[in-house]
Amino acid sequence: MLTIYSPEHHRHHGAAEFYRGKLVPCFESPERAEQILARVKERGLGPVRAPDRFGRGPLARVHSGDYLDFLASAWEEWQALGETGDALPYAWPAAGLRRDVPPAHIDGKLGFYSIDAAVPITAGTWDAVQASADCALTGARVVLEGASSAFALCRPPGHHAGARAMGGFCYLNNAAIAAQAMRDGGVERVAILDVDYHHGNGTQTIFYDRADVFFASLHGDPAVEYPFFLGHADETGAGDGLGANLNLPLPWGTSAAEYLAALAVALARIAAFGAQALVVSLGVDTFEGDPISHFTLGSDDFTTLGRRIAALGLPTLFVMEGGYAVGDIGGNVVNVLSGFEKP
Ligand code: Q9C
Ligand code: ZN
């Protein structure tokens, strides 16, 4: 399987995120991508190439223009304040506040365009997130051209980013951008399977009222888990998209057997939808050793996960999302991908 990787990800390196009353070191680190790349090479998954550049066009198919403008200019505006650390939001237009008047000050913009304070913006963040999206778009192109699969080694991740909001370590929604590129490339029905531990709130929201992109997600129950405010089982889509959204929230402590049973439900629905291509939001933070998550999958279970996904028989693009057990992340990711290739 081809891996698409860009070293530009190093240019995004947040120092800290706000968590439980203090600033803590970012869990989402450059080391994550390096560990995955090292295991891809060590285990001979296949060739590794750099992404093509796609520019703003395909990003604007998913994200609003004002949001892209914000991301492009945020660091410069932040620096004009004379700050030396990372930009981080601290005030949000939550219930009862106005969303119809975009703020002019960068402090206001940071909150207006985010859902939490786990999204530091550094000097190279915009370049890194564009390169990450380019990895996903290159993967989509390769699959459109006939490859049976590809792995976009995206960093930063994307599935918490909405059409006009960053959050949860995510800035551009790589999986959504890739799925939309497949649609624009002529694939009539695309499915997105999100196996990251956290609900893919951004992806769900982007496609919620559409019948052409099916979204299925297995994740920690939002009653007790980030992102808390989306991902419940009764969210089934709206308008034309009614029935094209499937959430399978699972409790803390979910075992591999319970997880794979839920996966079978998601895969059956994707098959029934009649998907012609699949995008997998591949998070391995379902791992038993993950420092911020509460499922108990072992490393071998990721091989089974890959095999079960392969049984759909669809052209498949894997897009890297979360996973924070840095010592095990690479092995777990390559287990999924090699399980997919050798069912
Ligand atoms: N500091 C992804 O896996 N904060 N994002 C959780 C731990 C947000 C996870 C608290 C977690 C976001 C792509
Ligand atoms: Zn996650």
Side-chain angles (χ1 to χ4, degrees), residues 17-19 24 27 116 118 157-160 168-170 196 198 226 285 292 321-324:
E17 58 179 269
F18 188 67
Y19 180 61
V24 302
F27 288 91
D116 60 42
H159 75 150
H160 296 304
F169 317 151
C170 303
D196 186 279
H198 303 94
Y226 181 90
D285 38 8
I292 64 171
E321 302 282 1
Y324 308 97

Side-chain angles (χ1 to χ4, degrees), residues 35 40 53 58 82 114 118 133 146 280 287 314:
Q35 286 289 336
V40 162
R53 283 171 160 267
S114 68
V280 178
F287 180 54
L314 291 172

Side-chain angles (χ1 to χ4, degrees), residues 17-19 114-119 159-161 166-170 196-202 219-231 252 285 292-294 324:
E17 58 179 269
F18 188 67
Y19 180 61
S114 68
I115 63 169
D116 60 42
V119 278
H159 75 150
H160 296 304
M166 55 185 185
F169 317 151
C170 303
D196 186 279
Y197 173 77
H198 303 94
H199 177 248
N201 59 285
H219 50 267
D221 188 337
V224 295
E225 197 53 84
Y226 181 90
F228 297 111
F229 314 113
L230 209 67
W252 279 16
D285 38 8
I292 64 171
S293 307
H294 298 93
Y324 308 97

Side-chain angles (χ1 to χ4, degrees), residues 243-289:
N245 196 89
L246 174 68
N247 283 327
L248 297 166
L250 301 164
W252 279 16
T254 290
S255 68
E258 291 161 336
Y259 188 87
L260 293 169
L263 179 72
V265 174
L267 295 175
R269 286 287 302 279
I270 289 169
F273 170 73
Q276 295 155 341
L278 179 68
V279 176
V280 178
S281 265
L282 177 57
V284 292
D285 38 8
T286 49
F287 180 54
E288 59 192 348

Side-chain angles (χ1 to χ4, degrees), residues 101-129:
V101 190
H105 193 279
I106 183 61
D107 287 352
K109 290 188 192 181
L110 286 163
F112 189 72
Y113 292 113
S114 68
I115 63 169
D116 60 42
V119 278
I121 291 179
T122 69
T125 295
W126 177 232
D127 289 337
V129 299

Side-chain angles (χ1 to χ4, degrees), residues 175-196:
I177 290 165
Q180 183 63 48
M182 287 180 175
R183 284 287 296 110
D184 293 340
V187 181
E188 284 179 10
R189 296 162 82 78
V190 177
I192 302 174
L193 172 65
D194 190 323
V195 299
D196 186 279

